[in-house]
Structures are given as C-alpha cells and as structure tokens.
C-alpha cells in the first residue's frame, strides 16, 4: 500500500490534495524520505509529475550525508517504483478521496456552526463525494419523507407479520423479527449458537401458517450434529434421552 500511496502523490495535483492526509508514523523509512522531499522537488522543478530517475539524483544531492545503506535502500526502492509502473490500486484512491472529503466536510460543518457556511455547502460536498468515489449522485432532498409517507411506512411496519423469540430477554431487547430481517449471531466455538437457533427455529415454526416452513441452511458443522440439536429443541430432550431411544425421537 505504501508504494501505491507514493506513486499516487507523485503527481502534483494529487500531492496538493492528499499529502496533508498522510501521517508520518504510517510510513516506513524510505517512503517517508521520498514523501519529505516531494514538496521541495515540485517547488524547484515545477513539474507536474515526478521523474523518478531525476528524483533519485535530486534527493541524493540534497542529502549528501545519507549513509551507504540508506542510499542503497532508497535507490532500490525508487527503481522498484519505476519497474512497477504507474498503476495504483483502486482501493487506495478511494480511501484517500474519502478521507479528503471527510476532512472538507468536517471543516465545512464547523463553519456552519460558526455561521460562516450553510448546510447546503455540506450537501454539495456529499454530492461531490458520491459522484467521485461511488460514481452515483444522490439527491439528498429526495431522501426526506413527508409526514404522510412516514405515516404509511410506519403503518406498514406495524402491520408486518412478526415472529416472537422464545426467550423473554431477546424479545424485550430486540423485539419480534419479521421476514427480511438479517441477524448475525456470533460466539466462540461450542458457545451454543446452534442450540439457540434450533430452539428459536422450533419456536418460529409454531407461529407459521400450515403452508410455511423454516429453511435451515448449514455451512460447516456436521449435519447429524445439527439435526441432533434440532430434535432436542423440538422434543425438549437431552442428548442422553435422544440416544436412549433414537427411533422414538424421530
């Protein structure tokens, strides 16, 4: 990623726009040496893009006291930049652009708080950000809902069929779920995730219509172990009880 950052700001326009966002502690020794010399190079040569062969001589001439080891590392690094071409990973560009706009939006928002800017200025920057980074233009005004639209959306939410948890604490904290909800359940291995989901699947099955079902898609855990948990949840049996009378359990 360091190589991409250095290559990207080797253009004067990009340097002016993004150099203030690069923090010294994030750069290793040689990239930091290059970064520290770019401003002087651009000022003295008035070039729009770094000529890396010229830049090597420029840095070595301006830093005659560099030890041999650092000189070799610097020259090798620049040669590697030359060999790798000008292509820069897209995620690096997006990351820098996002930080650039975040910085501008923060400054503008502060100016709004002091009365020196308008909220429309923030909206304009958000629109520019979406166009440049995401490739889409959001009409922020269209995101505002009228009272009537908001009422109907809340009414639809109220009328949506919901399914309750069997655990009162989950019901209290999360509320009932409805079709389309996406829930991530995370825990350490053998933390009871399958057992919990099996118990809830059984509970939700009781709330479905006759022609509905719960679709269970399994990934890593062995199918017979999952089936055991489901049977236990459905019958409220322990593992020992299921194993004692397997035929009856199914």
């Amino acid at each position: 990623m360091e190589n991409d950052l250095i290559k990207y700001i080797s253009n004067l326009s990009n340097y002016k726009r993004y150099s203030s966002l690069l923090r010294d502690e994030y750069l290793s020794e040689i990239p930091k040496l290059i970064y520290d010399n770019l401003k002087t190079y651009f000022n003295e040569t008035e070039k729009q893009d770094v000529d890396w062969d010229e830049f090597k001589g420029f840095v070595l001439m301006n830093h005659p006291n560099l030890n041999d080891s650092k000189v070799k590392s610097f020259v090798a690094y620049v040669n590697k930049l030359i060999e790798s071409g000008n292509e820069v990973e897209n995620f690096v560009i997006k990351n820098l652009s996002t930080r650039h706009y975040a910085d501008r939006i923060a400054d503008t928002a502060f100016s709004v708080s002091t009365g020196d800017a308008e909220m429309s200025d923030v909206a304009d920057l958000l629109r520019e950000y979406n166009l440049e980074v995401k490739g889409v233009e959001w009409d922020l005004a269209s995101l505002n809902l009228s009272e009537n639209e908001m009422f109907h959306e809340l009414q639809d939410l109220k009328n949506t069929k919901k399914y309750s948890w069997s655990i009162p604490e989950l019901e209290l904290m999360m509320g009932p779920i409805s079709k389309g909800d996406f829930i991530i359940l995370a825990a350490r291995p053998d933390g009871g995730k399958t057992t919990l989901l099996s118990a809830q699947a059984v509970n939700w099955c009781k709330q479905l219509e006759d022609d509905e079902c719960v679709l269970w898609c399994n990934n890593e855990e062995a199918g017979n172990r999952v089936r055991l948990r489901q049977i236990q949840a459905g019958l409220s049996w322990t593992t020992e009880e299921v194993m004692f009378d397997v035929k009856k359990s199914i």
Side-chain angles (χ1 to χ4, degrees):
M1 182 174 175
E2 277 186 330
N3 292 2
D4 285 319
L5 286 172
I6 294 299
K7 284 194 289 185
Y8 196 54
I9 62 171
S10 66
N11 168 271
L12 179 59
S13 177
N14 291 338
Y15 176 83
K16 288 180 176 179
R17 190 180 196 192
Y18 301 118
S19 61
S20 63
L21 301 176
L22 302 185
R23 298 173 62 176
D24 289 351
E25 60 265 31
Y26 292 160
L27 297 174
S28 53
E29 185 179 35
I30 300 304
K32 184 178 183 303
L33 174 64
I34 294 173
Y35 169 71
D36 289 341
N37 283 273
L38 282 175
K39 183 177 181 180
T40 306
Y41 175 84
F42 283 128
N43 287 339
E44 293 190 12
T45 65
E46 298 183 350
K47 290 189 173 181
Q48 296 299 309
D49 294 284
V50 172
D51 179 327
W52 288 114
D53 286 318
E54 179 186 58
F55 185 78
K56 283 189 290 187
F58 177 85
V59 172
L60 295 177
M61 183 178 66
N62 282 279
H63 298 276
N65 296 324
L66 289 177
N67 60 53
D68 290 344
S69 175
K70 196 166 185 178
V71 168
K72 289 180 180 179
S73 297
F74 167 71
V75 172
Y77 188 92
V78 173
N79 287 339
K80 187 176 179 180
L81 286 179
I82 296 172
E83 292 171 4
S84 64
N86 296 322
E87 188 173 341
V88 177
E89 290 287 348
N90 192 49
F91 80 89
V92 173
I93 299 174
K94 283 192 172 184
N95 179 272
L96 283 174
S97 294
T98 298
R99 291 169 59 192
H100 166 73
Y101 277 106
D103 190 56
R104 290 181 63 192
I105 289 169
D107 287 342
T108 304
F110 179 77
S111 296
V112 172
S113 71
T114 59
D116 297 320
E118 302 291 337
M119 282 300 294
S120 59
D121 297 323
V122 175
D124 289 341
L125 286 172
L126 283 170
R127 189 171 290 107
E128 287 179 30
Y129 163 75
N130 283 309
L131 277 171
E132 180 175 321
V133 179
K134 297 188 175 182
V136 295
E137 181 173 10
W138 289 356
D139 181 4
L140 298 180
S142 69
L143 300 179
N144 295 326
L145 296 178
S146 66
E147 289 186 7
N148 188 51
E149 290 173 322
M150 191 176 297
F151 171 79
H152 285 296
E153 287 202 355
L154 292 175
Q155 195 67 30
D156 288 341
L157 183 62
K158 177 182 177 181
N159 295 333
T160 298
K161 186 173 182 180
K162 299 176 179 63
Y163 305 91
S164 297
W165 301 83
S166 65
I167 301 174
E169 288 77 8
L170 284 176
E171 186 74 6
L172 177 64
M173 295 178 64
M174 298 184 62
I177 67 170
S178 57
K179 291 180 180 179
D181 285 353
F182 183 77
I183 300 170
I184 296 177
L185 175 65
R188 300 282 295 175
D190 295 321
K193 299 183 294 295
T194 303
T195 300
L196 173 61
L197 287 176
S198 296
Q200 298 317 303
V202 169
N203 181 61
W204 291 326
C205 281
K206 298 174 183 177
Q207 303 171 54
L208 298 177
E209 302 294 336
D210 292 339
D211 60 346
E212 295 178 318
C213 68
V214 171
L215 176 63
W216 184 295
C217 299
N218 201 54
N219 185 22
E220 294 179 355
E221 191 167 359
N224 56 357
R225 291 175 60 86
V226 174
R227 179 61 66 191
L228 173 61
R229 294 289 182 266
Q230 293 169 340
I231 291 173
Q232 287 179 273
L235 299 176
S236 297
W237 284 13
T238 64
T239 302
E240 290 74 17
E241 288 174 321
V242 173
M243 294 296 104
F244 180 76
D245 195 341
V246 174
K247 187 174 182 179
K248 185 177 180 181
S249 69
I250 58 176

